[in-house]
């Protein structure tokens, strides 16, 4: 059975701090790992990672994948109150379109 | 990017009634769509895979007769919660995959918040 575990489950930091969110996985025929941000409604896409060691970056957010150690991290620098959300990690497999989601990390940024 | 539209965004119904939720891919065709359920402060739990022109594939523990899925066209999947009860109150989200370059990305509908009273 596929497993995706995120840590921490929740995190509270002050505006301006840097945070690192973790996602580890166990999946057969790994294809990709995706990060999503969920505020009040549906998740919005952040990154898709398929290769180890290649950092993906979008503004203050960046993410990297380690396929040997089976984990990914999502970094957010200079956090803002608008970064407060649930961050979801999901893993996709070859031969199957389903995504398996992790538990999510609830991030709260205090002004 | 691809757009997935879900309707209604919220619904309140009486216990014992049925509720239908629609999920549409607006600018692409989706042979497969996915239905998720999310309880407060929890992650997305896959309920079923909706397959165009054939029966849906349900995850373990999800009642097929309770959550009816119909995927009659390449752009529409519906989830009907039959004989709804308060414990069915939840946030339901659909998604469809769309190929972007070499990879396939999941696009989500806006979600439907169901409250059964």
């Amino acid at each position: 059975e596929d497993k995706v575990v995120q840590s921490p489950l929740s995190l509270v930091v002050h505006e301006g701090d840097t945070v690192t969110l973790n996602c580890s996985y166990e999946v057969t025929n790994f294809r990709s790992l995706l990060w999503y941000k969920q505020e009040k409604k549906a998740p919005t896409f952040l990154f898709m990672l398929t290769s180890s060691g290649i950092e993906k970056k979008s503004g203050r957010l960046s993410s990297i994948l380690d396929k040997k150690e089976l984990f990914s991290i999502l970094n957010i620098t200079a956090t803002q109150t608008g970064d407060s959300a649930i961050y979801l990690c999901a893993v996709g497999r070859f031969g199957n379109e389903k995504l398996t989601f992790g538990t999510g990390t609830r991030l709260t940024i205090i002004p | 990017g691809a757009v997935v539209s879900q309707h209604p965004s919220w619904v309140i119904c009486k216990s014992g009634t049925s509720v239908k939720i629609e999920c549409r891919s607006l600018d692409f065709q989706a042979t497969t769509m996915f239905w998720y359920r999310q309880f407060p402060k929890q992650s997305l739990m896959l309920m079923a895979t909706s397959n165009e022109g054939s029966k849906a594939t349900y995850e373990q523990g999800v009642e097929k007769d309770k959550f009816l899925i119909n995927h009659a066209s390449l752009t529409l999947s519906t989830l009907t919660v039959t004989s709804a009860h308060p414990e069915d109150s939840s946030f339901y989200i659909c998604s469809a995959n769309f190929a972007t370059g070499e990879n396939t990305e999941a696009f989500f509908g806006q979600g439907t918040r169901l409250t059964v009273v």
Side-chain angles (χ1 to χ4, degrees):
Chain A
E1 185 180 334
D2 297 344
K3 287 184 183 178
V4 182
V5 178
Q6 290 183 247
S7 63
L9 290 180
S10 67
L11 185 59
V12 181
V13 300
H14 286 97
E15 202 168 19
D17 288 351
T18 294
V19 297
T20 299
L21 309 183
N22 304 291
C23 176
S24 63
Y25 62 90
E26 293 178 25
V27 62
T28 308
N29 293 327
F30 172 87
R31 180 186 66 196
S32 58
L33 185 145
L34 301 94
W35 284 97
Y36 289 88
K37 177 183 181 181
Q38 185 179 25
E39 297 175 83
K40 292 185 178 178
K41 291 199 172 180
T44 53
F45 174 80
L46 295 176
F47 298 111
M48 177 185 290
L49 304 158
T50 57
S51 301
S52 278
I54 300 175
E55 184 184 52
K56 293 225 173 169
K57 200 170 172 64
S58 176
R60 296 177 293 104
L61 278 67
S62 64
S63 183
I64 198 161
L65 173 68
D66 186 327
K67 289 169 75 172
K68 183 178 178 184
E69 299 298 329
L70 307 182
F71 79 92
S72 173
I73 59 171
L74 174 68
N75 274 323
I76 309 175
T77 59
T79 52
Q80 302 171 359
T81 54
D83 296 327
S84 295
I86 297 174
Y87 290 84
L88 297 166
C89 168
V91 174
R93 305 165 62 183
F94 282 108
N96 191 324
E97 290 191 66
K98 293 194 295 187
L99 292 177
T100 301
F101 279 85
T103 45
T105 293
R106 180 177 291 274
L107 176 63
T108 303
I109 310 298
I110 301 172
Chain B
V3 177
V4 175
S5 176
Q6 191 172 337
H7 177 81
S9 56
W10 60 271
V11 58
I12 301 173
C13 71
K14 288 185 177 180
S15 189
T17 61
S18 295
V19 174
K20 181 186 282 188
I21 303 170
E22 293 186 347
C23 181
R24 293 181 186 273
S25 56
L26 295 188
D27 49 0
F28 67 102
Q29 294 182 333
T31 55
T32 305
M33 291 185 177
F34 302 92
W35 287 97
Y36 297 86
R37 183 173 182 176
Q38 186 175 33
F39 290 105
K41 298 185 180 181
Q42 293 188 25
S43 190
L44 300 177
M45 296 298 297
L46 180 65
M47 298 174 65
T49 302
S50 174
N51 304 299
E52 188 269 334
S54 65
K55 291 183 180 179
T57 306
Y58 290 82
E59 295 299 302
Q60 193 171 6
V62 178
E63 298 177 60
K64 300 178 183 181
D65 297 330
K66 174 76 172 173
F67 299 100
L68 299 179
I69 291 173
N70 185 294
H71 195 149
S73 78
L74 287 170
T75 58
L76 174 64
S77 174
T78 60
L79 168 68
T80 301
V81 183
T82 62
S83 186
H85 288 96
E87 57 266 30
D88 298 324
S89 298
S90 188
F91 191 55
Y92 293 87
I93 309 177
C94 69
S95 77
N97 290 350
F98 181 71
T100 54
E102 295 181 350
N103 297 306
T104 300
E105 197 176 310
F107 289 87
F108 288 87
Q110 304 95 319
T112 298
R113 186 162 301 284
L114 170 64
T115 302
V116 184
V117 297

